[in-house]
Each structure stands twice: as C-alpha cells, then as structure tokens.
Amino acid sequence: MRSLVFALEYDPGCNRVADTLAAHPGARIRSLSLHATAERLWRVDHATGTPAALDDIEETFLTADYYADCLATDDCGATQSTQVLDHTDDTLVLYSYWERTPDCSSVPHIARAHLGDGVLFDTRHEGRHYTWRIIHSGQGNVGAFFDDLEAAVGTCAEMEMLRTTDTEVTRRYRHSNRDELPPEQAAALEAAVEHGYYETPRAVDVGELAKHLGVPRSTLTYRLRRAEAQLAARYVDTESMRDSPSTTS
C-alpha cells in the first residue's frame, strides 16, 4: 500500500469552505469518514473553532450552491444534502451526501479513476489549505491522477505535493525511514529559525516573515505547522524507541 499526501490552496472566491475558514483563523475541518462510488460521495466531517466560526461553517455547508468537494466552479446540477449531526460551542459534526452529474469532478472520483476502487481518504481543511491523504494499492497511475486533478482544479487552486510513502513500515523503525521535509517546508523552517521566529520574545512575527519570503501569510503558517508536526512525530517515535526495552535472543 502507498500513502499519497498533497494539498490544494484555494484562491479567494473559488471555494466557499476555504473562504469561510480563511475568515476564521484557527478553525479546522477534518474528515471522520469519506466514501465514494462512481456516481456518489458521502462523508462525515468534524469541525472545531469558535462559536462564530462553527455557525459560519454550518451555514456554508447548508447554503452552498453546489457541493463543496466538487471541483466545478459553477452550479453543476448535482443532488446534494447536508445534515447537522452535532453542534456545540466548540464542535460541529456534519454529514454530507452528493450525487454527481457528468459536469462534476472531485478528488475522490479522479482518484478512483486512476488509483483503483480500493482507495481510502483522509482530509484536513484549515484556512485556504485543503490537505488530502490517499491510501492506495500502488498499482495505479499517480502521474495521470495529478494531470487530471490539475486540469480539473484549473486556476482556482495551487497544488503542493507533500509526500508519498510506503505505508507498510513498522512503528519501531518508522523514524529512520520517514521522508525528509518537502523543500517548501524546510525553507520556511530554516527562515523562521534564521530570523528569530522561535526566539522568546519573537524577533519577527509570521506576517513579517511571510513578506520576507514573498509568500501569503496563510501559506507560511501552513508550511510551518506541517514541518513542526512532522518533527514532533519524529521526536516522539525516537523517544518511544529509546524507552522500549531491548530484546535479546
């Protein structure tokens, strides 16, 4: 099995969910379950954020002209419905169902076409960044998948390949086989250290650092968080290995 991780960064006005999340820094949406057939897609999503953010996210899902995962830029005539399963002050759980038309396209349906039927999906949506993790057999055509995805996305979003790895790796030795940080994340991390972003007090804030690097603030924030998350995971794996009792024959 192979794990394929990439991100879409939506331009303003291209995706209502992305616009809503960009207006509420700190709000996030992650998939709890996502399934797709050739003609349908259904999923359950878990959103966190401030009460105002969750209210706006709910309204966006319930009133969107077309399904949020559809890559069409206009109403494609699909049948869709969204139900609120839970809504508290800090949590929102949504169930969405979508029946696509010939004019519709989505990441899961493009993935099924090129990577096979037995694909699994996990998503994280924060700001304008929509991160996808796809587990597939490794027998499909990844290049064709990205070609079709790029054509479907058009000018509405930029794609960033984050990593592709073999999922059949034991946890004990996972830290030694992890991919290096993607170049964009490594560059962001190096610049943050060089300019004193991690000093106390900070010598530069994320906005100033983003301006120096010539990238949007949201892009830099996303890259730093992804890099920090991977470094933290490596640290935890390393410490777990150290704490594990050695075995002798």
Side-chain angles (χ1 to χ4, degrees):
M1 300 294 287
R2 299 287 296 174
S3 174
L4 177 65
V5 184
F6 63 94
L8 301 176
E9 183 182 0
Y10 282 101
D11 291 337
C14 288
N15 183 284
R16 282 193 60 190
V17 175
D19 290 340
T20 301
L21 290 173
H24 295 281
R28 302 177 184 179
I29 303 174
R30 64 182 179 90
S31 60
L32 298 180
S33 180
L34 197 168
H35 304 276
T37 64
E39 303 299 335
R40 298 173 178 81
L41 184 150
W42 58 100
R43 60 185 296 166
V44 177
D45 291 296
H46 177 272
T48 57
T50 65
L54 297 182
D55 287 343
D56 286 351
I57 292 171
E58 178 181 330
E59 181 181 6
T60 297
F61 271 82
L62 294 177
T63 63
D65 293 333
Y66 57 96
Y67 183 63
D69 267 353
C70 184
L71 297 175
T73 56
D74 297 307
D75 187 355
C76 54
T79 300
Q80 62 153 324
S81 64
T82 298
Q83 300 177 26
V84 178
L85 302 182
D86 188 29
H87 191 164
T88 64
D89 287 342
D90 57 2
T91 296
L92 173 65
V93 181
L94 299 164
Y95 168 80
S96 299
Y97 175 79
W98 175 42
E99 289 189 21
R100 62 192 296 235
T101 67
D103 295 327
C104 297
S105 183
S106 73
V107 171
H109 291 109
I110 297 174
R112 290 184 76 258
H114 295 290
L115 304 179
D117 292 338
V119 287
L120 302 175
F121 304 95
D122 178 60
T123 68
R124 300 287 189 275
H125 208 160
E126 180 179 1
R128 300 197 181 281
H129 280 88
Y130 196 3
T131 303
W132 287 80
R133 180 173 184 248
I134 299 177
I135 305 296
H136 63 102
S137 67
Q139 302 300 313
N141 191 330
V142 175
F145 163 71
F146 274 113
D147 287 343
D148 276 7
L149 179 58
E150 184 176 11
V153 170
T155 60
C156 282
E158 293 184 5
M159 290 194 304
E160 180 180 5
M161 181 65 183
L162 298 178
R163 63 183 179 274
T164 177
T165 58
D166 190 339
T167 61
E168 296 175 357
V169 180
T170 61
R171 184 182 187 280
R172 180 177 178 84
Y173 298 102
R174 189 185 308 160
H175 71 285
S176 62
N177 292 320
R178 286 178 184 267
D179 287 352
E180 295 296 326
L181 290 176
E184 298 85 357
Q185 295 178 22
L189 199 61
E190 290 172 2
V193 172
E194 178 182 349
H195 290 275
Y197 177 76
Y198 291 108
E199 295 178 3
T200 304
R202 285 177 172 164
V204 64
D205 63 28
V206 69
E208 294 168 334
L209 188 58
K211 184 177 181 181
H212 172 77
L213 294 174
V215 299
R217 178 191 179 103
S218 61
T219 298
L220 178 60
T221 300
Y222 174 80
R223 290 175 179 174
L224 287 175
R225 287 180 177 175
R226 293 298 302 178
E228 291 163 359
Q230 188 161 335
L231 292 176
R234 290 182 184 179
Y235 174 82
V236 171
D237 276 357
T238 301
E239 290 302 306
S240 297
M241 182 176 175
R242 289 176 181 172
D243 293 340
S244 297
S246 60
T247 59
T248 59
S249 58

